[in-house]
Amino acid sequence: MPGSTHVRHVVTRADVARYAGVSTAVVSYVINNGPRPVAATTAERVKQAIDVLGYRPNGSARALRRGVSDTIGLVTPQLDNLFFAELSQEIEQLAVNAGKAVLLGNSLGDLRHQRQLIDGMLSRQIDGLIVRGSSSHDDPLAGIRTNVPCVLLDTMVPLPGRRSIGSDLRGGADQLVDHLIAVHGLTRIALVVGRDLPGLVDPREVGWRDALRRHGLPEGPIARAAFDRIGGYRAAQQLLAAPLPPQAVFASSDLQATGVLRALHETGTKVPSEVAVVSFDGTSESAFTYPALTVARQPVATIARRAYELLGDDGTTEAFEQLPTDLIVRQSCGCAGTTITP
């Protein structure tokens, strides 16, 4: 009838007990597989009642009785960046396999929103928290009182009292630039990197310099832009407008490299015969650009696993783990590369 409301009846354990003709305690024993044994015929009757009535145990209540929430919090800066999306997916799968749920928050690179997300998750009595801050050099938990295990992702420097896991940005950048020099003989290698960090040089910039100096080469031009596609696009336009354009571009993220490729294509610059392009991250997107990108691939699955393992460590020992990247050679640097098969 118009104006009427329908109140949904929530099936309770008592409803199941009445339907199966047993006590609520017996229903509890069947659901929790103990602590007391239940006869097979009785247990089957309870299971049938659960199926017929559509009963779902109250997970929150069960977790509260055990003193845990079976939930972890995960905060990332931007899920439209495929690296963070893939990392989040790996962490979520680990949690699901362990019978836990994940509260996922996207800070959108905003410090205030990041703080609100973290405070909100902690207020929900989560069992642990994994955070990649809006920047990779500040402590996203500074000034926040936490009473659960916390792990930070991808910090560029060790942070006092914190545990952090990420990739060796400096080593991966060095390996990429060294490949351009040692294998392809390129000498004018530009860098596309994020804007200056207060008091800190991006390790990828340091790795770029390491390789150039080791080979006795001068530093190429640097274009600083946002870590996204439009940032890479504008950085490439800046580099191409120089009197002496680079022979190669090292982009600090796959998103930037995608923008670089777009700018090169628009100007008719051939990749890799006129300008080679390599990038850091190695997300699945990097294999589907044209040409496919040569990358320093971050070990996403291993980072996720170590972060999840560190959550299980209730200690307060500091940790700053940097995992090596893998050099994946494809066509964008001038190599034959690999072929994608269905």
Side-chain angles (χ1 to χ4, degrees):
M1 295 178 60
S4 65
T5 59
H6 174 69
V7 179
R8 182 175 65 88
H9 173 65
V10 177
V11 178
T12 66
R13 190 169 298 185
D15 295 329
V16 175
R18 281 193 296 270
Y19 192 96
V22 298
S23 68
T24 55
V26 170
V27 175
S28 177
Y29 299 154
V30 172
I31 293 171
N32 297 308
N33 196 27
R36 294 185 179 181
V38 177
T41 54
T42 303
E44 184 59 31
R45 198 162 69 246
V46 171
K47 292 175 183 177
Q48 289 178 354
I50 290 173
D51 289 340
V52 169
L53 298 177
Y55 171 69
R56 291 183 182 275
N58 188 327
S60 298
R62 292 170 65 191
L64 185 61
R65 285 194 297 271
R66 291 164 46 223
V68 297
S69 67
D70 283 334
T71 302
I72 65 171
L74 174 60
V75 177
T76 65
Q78 47 181 156
L79 283 176
D80 60 347
N81 183 326
L82 197 54
F83 169 70
F84 295 118
E86 291 178 354
L87 185 58
S88 298
Q89 183 173 299
E90 290 285 345
I91 292 172
E92 183 175 23
Q93 188 59 57
L94 289 168
V96 169
N97 291 345
K100 293 183 179 291
V102 175
L103 281 178
L104 178 60
N106 182 7
S107 71
L108 304 175
D110 182 87
L111 291 174
R112 182 178 179 183
H113 184 49
Q114 175 181 285
R115 175 67 180 256
Q116 290 173 338
L117 286 172
I118 293 172
D119 284 341
M121 289 179 179
L122 292 172
S123 71
R124 286 169 172 78
Q125 307 300 313
I126 56 175
D127 299 327
L129 179 65
I130 299 175
V131 182
R132 197 323 188 143
S134 300
S135 68
S136 55
H137 61 291
D138 289 331
D139 184 355
L141 299 177
I144 298 177
R145 180 174 297 179
T146 61
N147 59 354
V148 298
C150 299
V151 176
L152 306 183
L153 296 173
D154 203 26
T155 60
M156 289 186 178
V157 294
L159 297 172
R162 302 298 185 197
R163 290 171 290 179
S164 175
I165 179 74
S167 296
D168 180 4
L169 306 183
R170 180 175 181 175
D174 186 323
Q175 190 177 30
L176 272 174
V177 178
D178 184 81
H179 177 80
L180 292 172
I181 300 168
V183 176
H184 298 286
L186 302 176
T187 58
R188 296 195 312 276
I189 302 172
L191 172 67
V192 174
V193 69
R195 296 185 177 89
D196 282 324
L197 304 175
L200 181 69
V201 178
D202 190 307
R204 285 162 290 201
E205 182 175 335
V206 178
W208 169 74
R209 288 198 176 101
D210 288 343
L212 292 172
R213 289 172 181 170
R214 190 169 58 253
H215 287 276
L217 296 174
E219 293 181 9
I222 299 178
R224 303 188 187 278
F227 281 109
D228 55 22
R229 296 177 184 88
I230 190 64
Y233 177 79
R234 289 171 176 164
Q237 289 179 321
Q238 174 185 329
L239 293 171
L240 291 172
L244 186 61
Q247 296 172 316
V249 175
F250 164 42
S252 296
S253 73
D254 288 349
L255 290 181
Q256 287 178 324
T258 301
V260 169
L261 289 174
R262 171 64 182 267
L264 293 172
H265 174 74
E266 287 184 351
T267 60
T269 304
K270 294 183 176 62
V271 179
S273 59
E274 294 180 323
V275 176
V277 180
V278 297
S279 69
F280 196 95
D281 278 343
T283 60
S284 56
E285 178 177 330
S286 67
F288 288 89
T289 58
Y290 186 80
L293 284 164
T294 290
V295 296
R297 182 167 63 191
Q298 299 201 60
V300 172
T302 307
I303 293 172
R305 177 177 56 80
R306 283 297 296 135
Y308 196 81
E309 288 172 351
L310 286 172
L311 276 187
D313 175 12
D314 291 333
T316 58
T317 304
E318 294 180 24
F320 181 60
E321 299 184 25
Q322 293 186 301
L323 303 175
T325 59
D326 295 315
L327 177 64
I328 306 300
V329 175
R330 302 193 183 106
Q331 294 86 359
S332 70
C333 66
C335 290
T338 56
T339 301
I340 298 173
T341 55

